[in-house]
Amino acid sequence: MQLRLTWLVLALFILSIASICIVGCGGDDTEETAEKPKTSTSPTSPSDGGVIAASKPIDFEADKKVLQELYSAFYEAFNDNDMQAISKTFDTSAIAFGTIFAGNEPVPVAVGWNDVKTGIAGLWQGIGTKGAKWGQNDKLTHFWIRRKEASAVGFNCYKGTYPGETHLYFVKKKDKWMIQQMDSITQNNTNIFTWTDKGSWRLDKFFTDKKDKAP
């Protein structure tokens, strides 16, 4: 009888120990909920390796039309002796303007609006130049166009001999094209100052790179 009692006590003791272990370790069998990855809502920046939208291609025909209209406006204003109208076609903050018509003695390129105004007024009023016109037409023939700058050549000039050449450099500021540099060369001087021989023209920003040639 005593032996049975001893085994009963021992069994109850083992059962109590087992119950304590189950209660203490019960949380270990609970599966944890996986954390969802966070999704960024901030816009992708170039440094993140995001795709940068490609720039729109240059609309050569539209730009050529605007550049031609700008030169035609200058041509008309110059021949009308209208300085105010000329100023509307120029980037007066950085304008450069020159003419070559007297043999191999070119008039230096004037830089800055005040000097350009003085130079143009001198052509309108000077001995031997008064009444001379920009001719023989107002057409631009060749264009080289980039996004914010352009060059052009017209076979016309100030004060003959014709046809001559006019070299132009344009800039685009706030979506508006303006003439920033201009030089006129009479035909008898194109053997020295011509757009076809790089380095012989006088405008320091004028360019004729093949990759920029407008069709």
Side-chain angles (χ1 to χ4, degrees), residues 67 70 89-91 94-96 140 144 146 148-153 166-173 177-183 203-208:
L67 299 177
L70 193 58
T89 68
F90 284 174
D91 176 10
I95 186 65
L140 296 178
W144 297 264
R146 298 170 181 167
K148 297 293 184 180
E149 58 183 348
S151 291
V153 169
T166 295
H167 306 162
L168 296 115
Y169 172 77
F170 303 85
V171 292
K172 192 176 189 180
K173 295 183 176 180
W177 284 107
M178 296 175 285
I179 298 169
Q180 193 179 85
Q181 295 186 344
M182 174 184 286
D183 201 13
L203 304 180
D204 62 350
K205 294 183 179 180
F206 181 83
F207 61 92
T208 60

Side-chain angles (χ1 to χ4, degrees), residues 3-117:
L3 181 60
R4 287 182 180 180
L5 183 60
T6 300
W7 278 107
L8 180 60
V9 172
L10 181 60
L12 292 173
F13 177 75
I14 293 172
L15 182 60
S16 299
I17 295 298
S19 299
I20 292 172
C21 290
I22 290 172
V23 172
C25 301
D28 294 340
D29 296 330
T30 303
E31 183 177 345
E32 295 183 1
T33 302
E35 182 179 355
K36 294 182 180 180
K38 295 181 180 179
T39 302
S40 175
T41 57
S42 60
T44 303
S45 65
S47 60
D48 295 329
V51 178
I52 302 174
S55 299
K56 292 182 179 179
I58 295 173
D59 188 339
F60 288 107
E61 291 305 315
D63 284 341
K64 284 165 61 176
K65 183 176 184 292
V66 173
L67 299 177
Q68 177 60 68
E69 290 173 350
L70 193 58
Y71 180 58
S72 296
F74 161 81
Y75 182 94
E76 181 178 354
F78 184 93
N79 288 339
D80 287 344
N81 292 16
D82 188 340
M83 192 71 75
Q84 183 177 1
I86 287 177
S87 71
K88 294 179 180 179
T89 68
F90 284 174
D91 176 10
T92 55
S93 68
I95 186 65
F97 177 90
T99 56
I100 304 174
F101 58 85
N104 293 325
E105 300 178 1
V107 176
V109 174
V111 177
W113 179 229
N114 286 334
D115 287 350
V116 169
K117 281 194 300 183

Side-chain angles (χ1 to χ4, degrees), residues 144-204:
W144 297 264
I145 301 175
R146 298 170 181 167
R147 296 198 177 279
K148 297 293 184 180
E149 58 183 348
S151 291
V153 169
F155 293 113
N156 40 65
C157 63
Y158 169 71
K159 200 180 180 298
T161 56
Y162 300 126
E165 295 176 9
T166 295
H167 306 162
L168 296 115
Y169 172 77
F170 303 85
V171 292
K172 192 176 189 180
K173 295 183 176 180
K174 296 181 179 179
D175 292 326
K176 180 181 178 182
W177 284 107
M178 296 175 285
I179 298 169
Q180 193 179 85
Q181 295 186 344
M182 174 184 286
D183 201 13
S184 164
I185 303 96
T186 52
Q187 185 63 32
N188 58 312
N189 286 297
T190 56
N191 61 324
I192 302 173
F193 305 97
T194 177
W195 71 273
T196 59
D197 183 11
K198 187 173 183 178
S200 68
W201 56 72
R202 300 195 299 167
L203 304 180
D204 62 350

